[in-house]
């Protein structure tokens, strides 16, 4: 790599930050079971502590996303405790994720439920989540709705659409000056006939209908296998409606596997669209990069460090594409040249320059190895094993 390339990677690493999910540190499973890890985090403090380890070793994960009913069930009353953990473990509270999918009342939906009282209850939960975010100076309120149906004819799809428009507008009106709503789409699961916010177009429409402080969140696992995710990203960039990402990987559906474990070139192509947009427009889009994974088999902290490492590598590779040459090759329809410029960047080993950057920051060259040497895992395993083996009950 020549020095201009090294400089470009260093500049990219200076700005790249990725948010950790609190639920990625907890014992999670599938409907077929949950494999308890003695070291898993069960308390909010333990989640902050584990996230603090990942940030300490990588230097690029300064915030942790919170899921309201899992992390701050008493709402704003938990704010003081959360701020104390944020100070103690040097991790800021990140995006606030309401839980609109686990309460019995939400069997037939939340914002889309035919029962007016239940819709209002769901809106109040989002308003409470916005208030928590305001208390914690956290910018993003990240909305995912499990709403949908399992059988044809059982849901009034157009009426539910209108309820979503109205309720999102009501929520948007509560946002503080610095806050924004991120609307996440998902084609299916847990609903298996229709999902009310099933794709990027529906999320885009609803974000626009809600107000100027609403944008679209792209969860990489929420697409049909044959969908071109980077094209969706390019469109949302062009519309200035790309609010953020939930990164993970999948072989089949919303598998929530570790980023880059199945198709690293997919995430590279996404970062490349963003890097090309920045080069062409001179703008730095305000995008919230976040991880959304559930580590059912891998050690949770190791899986998180592995994910952050791979995300950093793919982000660095994406800025290595020679955009001048690419724009010229695209214009002259030189297909092989255009594609080769991406393949050359993707094939570039950026690990040495990332180690150099970490050195320059006083960070360990190999965060995973540093974690294994730290003794942190042995300590928390001893501290937490007792409680974890008891908790063979709820999902999270
Ligand atoms: C839904 C989802 C959503 C979260 C949840 C943990 O599949 O991606 O972002 O609320 O996972
Ligand atoms: Mn998600």
């Amino acid at each position: 790599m020549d020095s201009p390339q090294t400089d470009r990677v260093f500049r990219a690493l200076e700005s790249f930050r990725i948010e950790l999910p609190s639920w990625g540190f907890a014992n999670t499973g599938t409907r077929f079971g949950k494999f308890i890890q003695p070291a898993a985090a069960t308390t909010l403090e333990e989640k902050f502590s584990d996230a603090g380890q990942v940030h300490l070793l990588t230097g690029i994960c300064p915030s942790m996303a919170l899921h309201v009913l899992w992390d701050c069930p008493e709402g704003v009353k938990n704010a003081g405790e959360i701020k104390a953990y944020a100070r103690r473990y040097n991790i800021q509270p990140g995006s606030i994720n309401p839980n609109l999918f686990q309460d019995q009342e939400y069997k037939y939906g939340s914002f889309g439920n035919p029962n007016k009282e239940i819709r209002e209850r769901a809106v109040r939960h989002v308003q409470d989540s916005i208030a928590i975010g305001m208390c914690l100076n956290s910018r993003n309120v990240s909305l995912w709705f499990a709403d949908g149906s399992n059988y044809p004819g059982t849901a009034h799809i157009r009426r539910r659409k209108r309820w979503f428009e109205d309720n999102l507008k009501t929520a948007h009106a509560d946002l503080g000056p610095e806050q924004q709503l991120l609307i996440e789409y998902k084609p299916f699961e847990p609903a298996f006939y229709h999902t009310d916010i099933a794709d990027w177009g529906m999320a885009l429409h609803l974000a626009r209908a809600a107000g100027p402080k609403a944008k679209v969140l792209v969860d990489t696992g929420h697409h049909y296998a044959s969908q071109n995710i980077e094209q969706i990203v390019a469109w949302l960039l062009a519309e200035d409606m790309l609010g953020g990402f939930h990164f993970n990987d999948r072989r089949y559906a919303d598998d929530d596997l570790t980023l880059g474990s199945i198709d690293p070139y997919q995430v590279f192509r996404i970062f490349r669209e963003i890097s090309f947009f920045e080069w062409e427009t001179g703008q730095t889009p305000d995008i919230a990069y976040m991880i959304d994974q559930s580590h059912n088999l891998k050690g949770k902290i190791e899986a998180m460090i592995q994910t952050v490492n791979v995300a950093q590598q793919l982000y660095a590779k994406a800025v290595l594409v020679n955009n001048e040459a690419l724009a010229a090759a695209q214009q002259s329809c030189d297909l092989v040249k255009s594609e080769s410029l991406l393949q050359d960047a993707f094939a570039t080993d950026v690990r040495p320059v990332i180690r150099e950057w970490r050195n320059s920051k006083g960070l360990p060259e190999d965060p995973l190895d540093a974690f294994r040497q730290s003794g942190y895992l042995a300590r928390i395993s001893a501290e937490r094993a007792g409680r974890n083996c008891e908790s063979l009950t709820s999902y999270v």
Side-chain angles (χ1 to χ4, degrees):
M1 213 186 294
D2 61 26
S3 68
Q5 288 180 312
T6 302
D7 295 350
R8 244 188 4 245
V9 171
F10 259 62
R11 270 199 308 282
L13 297 175
E14 278 305 318
S15 63
F16 183 63
R17 295 294 177 271
I18 191 161
E19 181 164 291
L20 306 172
S22 68
W23 52 94
F25 296 108
N27 273 318
T28 53
T30 70
R31 57 188 162 172
F32 305 109
K34 175 164 65 173
F35 303 103
I36 298 299
Q37 295 187 20
T42 47
T43 68
L44 184 56
E45 177 161 15
E46 289 169 350
K47 293 170 184 174
F48 269 96
S49 173
D50 296 355
Q53 279 300 303
V54 177
H55 184 46
L56 184 69
L57 298 170
T58 65
I60 66 165
C61 318
S63 63
M64 179 175 74
L66 304 175
H67 235 299
V68 174
L69 295 187
W70 300 339
D71 299 320
C72 30
E74 291 147 83
V76 288
K77 292 198 203 74
N78 292 122
E81 173 202 359
I82 292 170
K83 286 179 178 172
Y85 298 148
R87 280 190 300 277
R88 189 172 309 153
Y89 300 103
N90 186 30
I91 287 283
Q92 296 317 306
S95 61
I96 306 298
N97 297 255
N99 293 59
L100 292 164
F101 44 82
Q102 65 195 66
D103 300 7
Q104 294 306 306
E105 290 81 359
Y106 298 141
K107 180 177 181 181
Y108 300 117
S110 62
F111 275 26
N113 194 299
N115 176 312
K116 189 169 186 305
E117 280 71 43
I118 294 174
R119 296 199 300 275
E120 288 164 352
R121 180 180 191 279
V123 170
R124 280 196 303 280
H125 178 60
V126 171
Q127 290 168 324
D128 293 347
S129 303
I130 290 171
I132 294 168
M134 229 178 281
C135 263
L136 298 174
N137 300 321
S138 154
R139 175 129 192 268
N140 296 318
V141 175
S142 191
L143 303 178
W144 171 67
F145 298 89
D147 290 47
S149 64
N150 277 1
Y151 305 98
T154 58
H156 192 311
I157 294 172
R158 289 178 287 105
R159 186 177 298 157
R160 293 167 74 99
K161 171 181 177 286
R162 199 171 54 253
W163 288 330
F164 268 88
E165 289 162 352
D166 297 347
N167 293 330
L168 284 168
K169 217 178 262 131
T170 305
H172 185 284
D174 260 35
L175 291 172
E178 299 310 312
Q179 289 185 297
Q180 68 175 359
L181 279 184
L182 300 179
I183 299 180
E184 183 176 0
Y185 55 90
K186 185 175 182 178
F188 62 87
E189 189 209 35
F192 292 109
Y193 170 66
H194 103 284
T195 293
D196 288 291
I197 310 182
D199 68 22
W200 71 278
M202 298 176 195
L204 177 62
H205 166 78
L206 290 170
R208 285 201 167 121
K213 288 189 276 188
K215 291 196 175 182
V216 177
L217 186 147
V218 176
D219 184 313
T220 49
H222 293 183
H223 301 86
Y224 302 114
S226 56
Q227 253 179 307
N228 185 325
I229 303 174
E230 62 269 25
Q231 180 183 6
I232 295 169
V233 168
W235 272 64
L236 291 171
L237 277 170
E239 297 299 314
D240 189 20
M241 286 299 282
L242 178 61
F245 288 95
H246 275 179
F247 284 120
N248 47 63
D249 211 334
R250 81 282 174 61
R251 184 69 194 79
Y252 302 103
D254 189 22
D255 309 348
D256 281 342
L257 301 177
T258 41
L259 181 148
S261 59
I262 305 293
D263 183 2
Y265 198 48
Q266 168 62 81
V267 177
F268 167 83
R269 296 196 306 271
I270 289 171
F271 283 147
R272 208 273 323 157
E273 281 294 345
I274 296 166
S275 162
F276 192 52
F277 174 87
E278 290 177 346
W279 169 78
E280 197 169 53
T281 65
Q283 295 162 25
T284 303
D286 174 7
I287 301 170
Y289 295 118
M290 302 177 277
I291 295 167
D292 179 6
Q293 293 170 186
S294 50
H295 307 122
N296 303 335
L297 303 179
K298 286 180 176 178
K300 298 171 191 298
I301 299 172
E302 290 202 358
M304 209 67 90
I305 294 173
Q306 183 192 25
T307 299
V308 172
N309 275 347
V310 173
Q312 202 176 30
Q313 287 171 36
L314 294 169
Y315 190 80
K317 287 172 187 277
V319 303
L320 285 177
V321 175
N322 180 336
N323 289 317
E324 289 80 11
L326 180 64
Q330 286 177 343
Q331 192 50 40
S332 61
C333 300
D334 185 338
L335 309 184
V336 174
K337 174 73 177 174
S338 302
E339 189 187 23
S340 307
L341 287 164
L342 271 66
Q343 291 170 334
D344 294 349
F346 184 68
T348 305
D349 185 357
V350 292
R351 292 172 294 185
V353 69
I354 291 177
R355 281 197 289 275
E356 224 182 295
W357 179 80
R358 288 174 178 154
N359 249 325
S360 74
K361 298 286 170 184
L363 294 162
E365 282 197 3
D366 180 340
L368 204 50
D369 181 58
F371 174 69
R372 289 177 174 163
Q373 310 296 329
S374 72
Y376 181 84
L377 187 58
R379 178 165 64 77
I380 62 172
S381 302
E383 285 167 8
R384 301 174 187 179
R387 191 160 3 89
N388 273 319
C389 299
E390 283 149 25
S391 74
L392 266 174
T393 54
S394 73
Y395 172 72
V396 167

